[in-house]
Amino acid sequence: MSKTRDNHYVPQWHQRGFLDEGKNTLCYLDLTPDKKELPNGRIITFNDLNDWPTSRCFYQTDLYTTFFGEHINDDIETFLFGKIDDSGARAIRAFIDDDVRGWHQNFFNFFSYLDSQKIRTPKGLDWIRQHYPTLTQIQLMLEMQSIRNLNCALWTEGVREFVFADMSDIKFIISDHPVTIYNHAFPPESDLCVYPNDPPITLKATQTIFPLSKDCCLILTHLEYAKNPSTTDPFEKRTHSKLMRQSMVRTDNFIRSRHLNRDQVIAINTIIKRRAKRYIAAGKKEWFPENLSLEWKELGTALLPPEKELYLFGGEIYVGYKDGSTYYQDAYGRQHPDEHLKKVLRKKIGRNDPCGCGSGKKFKKCCEGKPDKDRPTWNVLSIRERNLVLYRGIYDILGFNDGKTWDDVRTELSDDQVARIHNLYWSLWPIETDIFSLLPKPDNTLRVVYTGLLDPRVIAIPLGATPYFDEILIQHPFTHPKAVNPEFSPTENPHKHKYQTLKNLLLFFYLEPFVRSGRVIFYPDPCIFDNYLHREMINMARGRQNKFAIDVNEEKTFFKLSEDDFSRTMRGLPKERLVQQIRQCSSDMSPEEIDAVAEYMKNQNDLDPLALLQDDLYTQGGQFTILSMSPNFEMALFTAQVTGSAIITDSPTRWRELNDSQVRINGITCYPWSEVSDAIAENEFVFCVPQNDSFYAAFCEYYGDITKAFRDTLNKTKAEDTSCMEIVRRLKKHIKPPLDSIPESVSFEDGTNIFKVRMKFVMPKGGYVNNNVQRLLLKAGSQHHLSRTPMAIFIEIVKDESSVGEARFDRFS
């Protein structure tokens, strides 16, 4: 059987819709025709305009073909696009005609075909390639299939309009990238439109143009922009701009009333031409647009839908089901809108005023000088502000504001309090939260993402690192009640979450001074807000679950923590049941001895800040306990790239996973910043977990020069600037022996934890990249992220006789 190697990225049946009546060829225009220099130095240009049949237009040899040795595989062309094109042809016929029943039957297939036409072209495939370090042809085809239907939810929720050129002597043209993206604020020469990029579809003012035939063209416009085109900020994202999600819309609502005049058709053709890669085609050469006097912004006037017909779109949807359940969504597909809005008067904010993004920093040290796209949103409560609300709410729920103590909490923690705490957490982080607008953007800040055990018993390492870094991102341990099945929800079964809630609260309180100062960004798991992201992350984790064994020493730590949990479970039993358990295990002990052991265990329980002092803890079933090492490998890289961070960990297992993702050039990893790594690795550093602000401030000031050197190192790796000898010199000057490094001006208190560590900075050329993570970034709709994670840092405690202290934190002991 012959193989199909001439791959039409615009199907021939689609091209035939642009043929002039009575003709079987298209006018095919090459916008950048090939040139050749003759021996005499004269340069000739090949013919740029041809009358060609559809078989010779919009194709490229082996665009989708894959090779296995000498074997040629055309399954992508034959099976994948064969099926998409068949359903797409039926859908386009239905929408060109006034076939309402056909619209409903072909609604999904139509938008699926539309999305495939955006990524299957040479420009679309180049757009995919630029988001990955390297892709083979097979990998490119797999990634193309993995991100299909990326934009369908946003397209279907907008204003859907078909416009017609049947009253004009000029008809619509088609290009080699037929899904044309237009935003009046981004002309083709702007930075955001550098090939192969288009303006993000998630922006409010971005419109999509898709010609179906010479007389019919689809225009998709976001509802917010359609209602207020003159006042909408074109740089702002539309409400609920999440890409991969489900939504509910009416399949029969389309505007079909506009029959365009000659100038309006020319304006649309001009946009199509200027956003093409190389080729455009039309039934007649007279349909090709000439240079118009209109500015790029003025061209968009022809795209605006009629205001009087916008009533067809928007509004709220309520659905009732036979089982009594209901479904609701608003005009933007949200079931639980994020309503944590705030007012910020940007023009009146002073340089020394708190920044409008809610970071807690002064404006001059935060968002001043940054363009809007590089700032966290100012329109809703920030991550820090929501955490402060959570602190206030928890203090009120637990009674701290009324004089209650931690021992009172351990004694009185109720099911109602557990449910109220998690309901508050849910209200602060509704499922439709745009977490990407809240996370910090890549900039020159020395920012790191911690990945490791989230447990109050072992949290000293990331907290001890805070004096050396500007910001540390630590993931929330709280279980979101709407991100798990009801049987595991802390609001549906709060009694089973008491012990884990107590642990999470203790961790939360440990972090409080760091969260308030802005040093720690205590962020929620991004997977909470995106089911597709969560599902993909789980599948990726399962795919590598047998690749790395858990480090032996780390496994011992897990066992110790589990034994500690088990011991606490035994001590938490009512004394009668505890006596029974001791008797079963030690039948040779006398009743007096058993009673003494039980009394001792109860006394130990009273002294344990993580122990609940409640006899009914296990009378209603067991307790959920979570040993979480978060974020996982993929999400650590994901978050680091989104926020422009390095990764920091004390987990040997995670460290091996990270090292496996170092970029290799021809199979070899290069380390151009090895002098910096060596200067850091050969020294020991003092970490502290202080109990008061004065000690912490003195520590930060004392080690400020090291922090500056670390910051410059991170920014050089981002910029791929390998000149690092000045940083090495500064490090050697300011890194001192750890026992001499503790500020003499600070007196130590009981509870201030001091210990020594070694830090290993690894900065491979090209950074850390994983193709699965690159796909997650595309599907999650992240717009401003690093192409790679530039640096990873491993922290290891120095254990010897000269250690200053142990890595522990007993604030409530």
Side-chain angles (χ1 to χ4, degrees):
M1 180 182 296
S2 61
K3 300 292 183 180
T4 304
R5 298 185 63 180
D6 290 338
N7 305 136
H8 283 83
Y9 46 87
V10 180
Q12 293 188 63
W13 61 262
H14 196 162
Q15 295 180 45
R16 285 192 283 271
F18 296 84
L19 294 172
D20 194 21
E21 292 184 10
K23 292 185 63 178
N24 58 6
T25 59
L26 286 170
C27 291
Y28 194 58
L29 179 64
D30 188 344
L31 300 174
T32 55
D34 294 329
K35 297 180 180 181
K36 182 178 181 179
E37 184 177 356
L38 299 178
N40 62 5
R42 187 166 68 93
I43 297 176
I44 60 172
T45 302
F46 288 93
N47 189 21
D48 61 342
L49 182 63
N50 297 279
D51 278 327
W52 278 349
T54 58
S55 60
R56 297 190 63 186
C57 300
F58 301 122
Y59 83 92
Q60 182 172 313
T61 302
D62 292 333
L63 184 62
Y64 310 131
T65 308
T66 55
F67 297 88
F68 299 89
E70 297 182 356
H71 177 72
I72 299 173
N73 186 299
D74 64 350
D75 286 352
I76 300 293
E77 170 80 7
T78 305
F79 295 105
L80 175 63
F81 289 129
K83 183 178 180 180
I84 291 174
D85 290 345
D86 288 344
S87 61
R90 291 192 298 270
I92 283 186
R93 285 194 297 269
F95 281 100
I96 289 177
D97 299 332
D98 199 2
D99 178 11
V100 178
R101 183 178 181 182
W103 299 351
H104 178 72
Q105 293 174 339
N106 293 281
F107 190 83
F108 174 79
N109 289 336
F110 176 75
F111 283 95
S112 181
Y113 173 72
L114 174 64
D115 194 84
S116 71
Q117 281 301 118
K118 188 176 186 306
I119 62 172
R120 70 188 285 186
T121 65
K123 180 178 177 179
L125 295 176
D126 286 342
W127 177 79
I128 296 174
R129 283 191 187 94
Q130 78 165 356
H131 288 86
Y132 297 80
T134 56
L135 285 177
T136 64
Q137 177 68 359
I138 294 176
Q139 290 172 331
L140 177 62
M141 294 298 102
L142 291 174
E143 296 302 325
M144 178 185 66
Q145 296 176 66
S146 297
I147 63 169
R148 283 185 54 227
N149 301 325
L150 190 66
N151 306 292
C152 291
L154 298 189
W155 279 333
T156 57
E157 287 174 355
V159 176
R160 308 184 296 270
E161 181 186 23
F162 287 104
V163 295
F164 302 93
D166 54 334
M167 308 295 289
S168 169
D169 62 318
I170 301 294
K171 306 297 182 180
F172 296 118
I173 66 173
I174 191 170
S175 77
D176 55 6
H177 193 62
V179 180
T180 301
I181 307 301
Y182 171 83
N183 187 308
H184 68 79
F186 300 101
E189 61 271 14
S190 67
D191 292 341
L192 206 61
C193 295
V194 173
Y195 181 86
N197 294 317
D198 287 318
I201 290 176
T202 54
L203 299 184
K204 286 182 178 179
T206 296
Q207 297 175 273
T208 302
I209 305 168
F210 184 58
L212 277 65
S213 69
K214 68 179 190 295
D215 284 319
C216 181
C217 181
L218 172 69
I219 301 175
L220 300 170
T221 307
H222 293 311
L223 181 61
E224 291 160 295
Y225 181 64
K227 288 182 175 179
N228 300 291
S230 60
T231 59
T232 298
D233 182 356
F235 301 92
E236 189 176 359
K237 292 168 69 175
R238 60 148 273 182
T239 301
H240 197 207
S241 58
K242 189 188 304 180
L243 295 177
M244 300 293 292
R245 56 183 171 84
Q246 293 181 338
S247 186
M248 187 176 290
V249 298
R250 287 192 57 160
T251 59
D252 59 343
N253 280 357
F254 289 87
I255 299 174
R256 299 175 63 89
S257 59
R258 284 207 296 157
H259 296 264
L260 305 185
N261 58 39
R262 190 177 199 271
D263 290 342
Q264 290 174 317
V265 175
I266 291 176
I268 291 176
N269 286 347
T270 300
I271 295 173
I272 293 173
K273 176 182 178 181
R274 294 189 65 185
R275 299 303 296 135
K277 178 187 179 185
R278 181 170 181 175
Y279 301 105
I280 57 176
K284 292 182 178 179
K285 65 180 180 179
E286 290 78 14
W287 299 353
F288 291 135
E290 301 297 329
N291 294 326
L292 290 183
S293 59
L294 294 177
E295 297 292 333
W296 181 254
K297 182 176 182 178
E298 295 173 316
L299 293 173
T301 305
L303 305 180
L304 293 175
E307 184 178 354
K308 64 181 180 180
E309 296 194 58
L310 296 182
Y311 72 91
L312 294 170
F313 306 93
E316 298 176 310
I317 297 176
Y318 295 87
V319 180
Y321 297 99
K322 291 182 179 179
D323 62 358
S325 61
T326 59
Y327 173 84
Y328 162 83
Q329 76 171 46
D330 67 4
Y332 308 106
R334 299 177 298 177
Q335 298 178 48
H336 305 283
D338 185 357
E339 298 177 346
H340 299 289
L341 302 177
K342 64 181 180 182
K343 291 184 179 180
V344 178
L345 301 177
R346 299 193 187 192
K347 294 183 179 179
K348 294 184 179 180
I349 194 169
R351 297 186 70 239
N352 291 313
D353 291 336
C355 187
C357 72
S359 66
K361 302 175 183 177
K362 293 181 179 180
F363 177 56
K364 66 182 180 181
K365 293 186 177 181
C366 190
C367 287
E368 186 182 29
K370 294 182 184 178
D372 284 353
K373 69 180 181 64
D374 293 333
R375 296 178 177 180
T377 181
W378 287 30
N379 299 326
V380 297
L381 293 180
S382 68
I383 294 175
R384 175 179 168 273
E385 290 169 324
R386 296 184 197 215
N387 279 323
L388 297 185
V389 173
L390 186 58
Y391 278 114
R392 290 195 296 269
I394 290 176
Y395 271 64
D396 185 59
I397 291 170
L398 298 180
F400 286 156
N401 295 329
D402 297 324
K404 297 285 187 180
T405 65
W406 185 248
D407 285 343
D408 293 328
V409 172
R410 296 165 59 204
T411 305
E412 301 170 5
L413 184 65
S414 66
D415 294 355
D416 178 65
Q417 288 176 321
V418 171
R420 288 172 62 194
I421 288 170
H422 287 89
N423 274 322
L424 175 60
Y425 184 68
W426 169 29
S427 70
L428 290 169
W429 297 108
I431 295 297
E432 280 80 12
T433 301
D434 182 4
I435 189 63
F436 296 108
S437 69
L438 298 172
L439 288 168
K441 306 295 190 297
D443 54 22
N444 293 327
T445 303
L446 178 57
R447 186 179 297 121
V448 293
V449 175
Y450 172 71
T451 172
L453 280 171
L454 297 179
D455 192 290
R457 295 166 288 185
V458 291
I459 199 63
I461 291 294
L463 293 187
T466 51
Y468 296 93
F469 302 95
D470 296 330
E471 296 172 355
I472 295 184
L473 284 88
I474 300 177
Q475 186 173 299
H476 256 294
F478 284 101
T479 299
H480 195 291
K482 295 301 178 182
V484 294
N485 290 330
E487 61 266 31
F488 303 113
S489 169
T491 57
E492 299 292 331
N493 292 286
H495 188 82
K496 295 182 179 179
H497 285 265
K498 277 190 174 183
Y499 174 53
Q500 187 61 41
T501 298
L502 193 74
K503 284 203 302 184
N504 292 343
L505 288 173
L506 192 58
L507 176 61
F508 193 46
F509 293 140
Y510 283 172
L511 294 174
E512 182 176 2
F514 305 95
V515 171
R516 289 187 179 277
S517 68
R519 283 277 183 171
V520 168
I521 300 175
F522 204 27
Y523 70 101
D525 181 1
C527 292
I528 290 172
F529 314 108
D530 193 329
N531 286 334
Y532 287 90
L533 181 65
H534 190 199
R535 191 177 306 123
E536 292 277 315
M537 183 268 290
I538 292 296
N539 290 335
M540 292 172 185
R542 286 173 177 165
R544 59 172 174 79
Q545 64 183 351
N546 295 322
K547 189 171 183 180
F548 291 101
I550 297 177
D551 179 79
V552 175
N553 292 325
E554 191 165 23
E555 191 173 23
K556 292 178 181 178
T557 301
F558 294 160
F559 277 121
K560 286 181 180 179
L561 293 174
S562 298
E563 289 173 355
D564 186 51
D565 287 332
F566 177 74
S567 175
R568 193 169 290 109
T569 300
M570 294 298 296
R571 297 197 309 265
L573 293 174
K575 187 172 180 180
E576 296 77 11
R577 292 185 59 186
L578 180 57
V579 167
Q580 292 175 4
Q581 292 291 329
I582 298 173
R583 185 180 296 117
Q584 289 177 5
C585 296
S586 305
S587 57
D588 56 340
M589 292 177 66
S590 68
E592 292 76 14
E593 292 173 325
I594 293 175
D595 187 72
V597 171
E599 190 64 29
Y600 172 79
M601 294 178 69
K602 281 298 182 182
N603 289 336
Q604 290 296 110
N605 207 52
D606 292 341
L607 298 173
D608 185 353
L610 280 176
L612 281 160
L613 306 179
Q614 301 177 11
D615 287 341
D616 66 340
L617 193 59
Y618 300 99
T619 58
Q620 301 178 34
Q623 288 289 310
F624 290 123
T625 58
I626 302 172
L627 197 62
S628 175
M629 194 164 73
S630 299
N632 79 341
F633 164 70
E634 286 84 8
M635 291 308 299
L637 287 174
F638 178 95
T639 307
Q641 289 179 231
V642 167
T643 59
S645 305
I647 293 177
I648 188 170
T649 185
D650 55 352
S651 165
T653 305
R654 182 75 77 240
W655 186 245
R656 291 208 305 270
E657 292 174 335
L658 289 169
N659 286 335
D660 189 60
S661 66
Q662 294 181 32
V663 168
R664 291 169 174 80
I665 302 171
N666 297 323
I668 299 174
T669 305
C670 300
Y671 301 99
W673 299 277
S674 58
E675 293 94 341
V676 177
S677 300
D678 293 343
I680 296 171
E682 65 189 16
N683 285 278
E684 295 175 352
F685 295 83
V686 172
F687 274 23
C688 79
V689 185
Q691 297 295 303
N692 62 70
D693 292 338
S694 62
F695 189 103
Y696 181 76
F699 225 89
C700 291
E701 182 178 356
Y702 198 79
Y703 288 104
D705 291 320
I706 298 178
T707 301
K708 291 177 183 177
F710 287 177
R711 186 185 302 117
D712 290 345
T713 300
L714 177 60
N715 290 326
K716 280 185 176 291
T717 57
K718 289 179 183 177
E720 297 188 341
D721 180 358
T722 57
S723 58
C724 57
M725 292 311 298
E726 172 61 20
I727 294 178
V728 174
R729 184 190 64 78
R730 287 158 52 195
L731 284 171
K732 290 182 176 180
K733 176 181 178 181
H734 295 292
I735 296 178
K736 303 175 183 179
L739 292 177
D740 298 333
S741 300
I742 302 171
E744 296 179 359
S745 60
V746 178
S747 60
F748 301 121
E749 297 180 352
D750 292 337
T752 297
N753 189 8
I754 306 291
F755 54 97
K756 292 191 302 182
V757 302
R758 287 191 180 275
M759 290 194 281
K760 185 176 183 180
F761 282 52
V762 177
M763 300 160 281
K765 184 177 179 59
Y768 296 81
V769 177
N770 181 277
N771 283 350
N772 287 336
V773 176
Q774 304 304 108
R775 188 187 320 124
L776 288 180
L777 290 164
L778 283 180
K779 299 180 81 168
S782 173
Q783 296 173 12
H784 308 291
H785 58 260
L786 300 182
S787 61
R788 70 208 189 284
T789 298
M791 177 195 300
I793 305 166
F794 181 65
I795 298 179
E796 185 176 18
I797 297 173
V798 177
K799 296 181 180 180
D800 56 38
E801 294 76 8
S802 62
S803 291
V804 183
E806 297 179 357
R808 57 181 177 77
F809 191 13
D810 299 328
R811 179 180 173 187
F812 283 91
S813 60

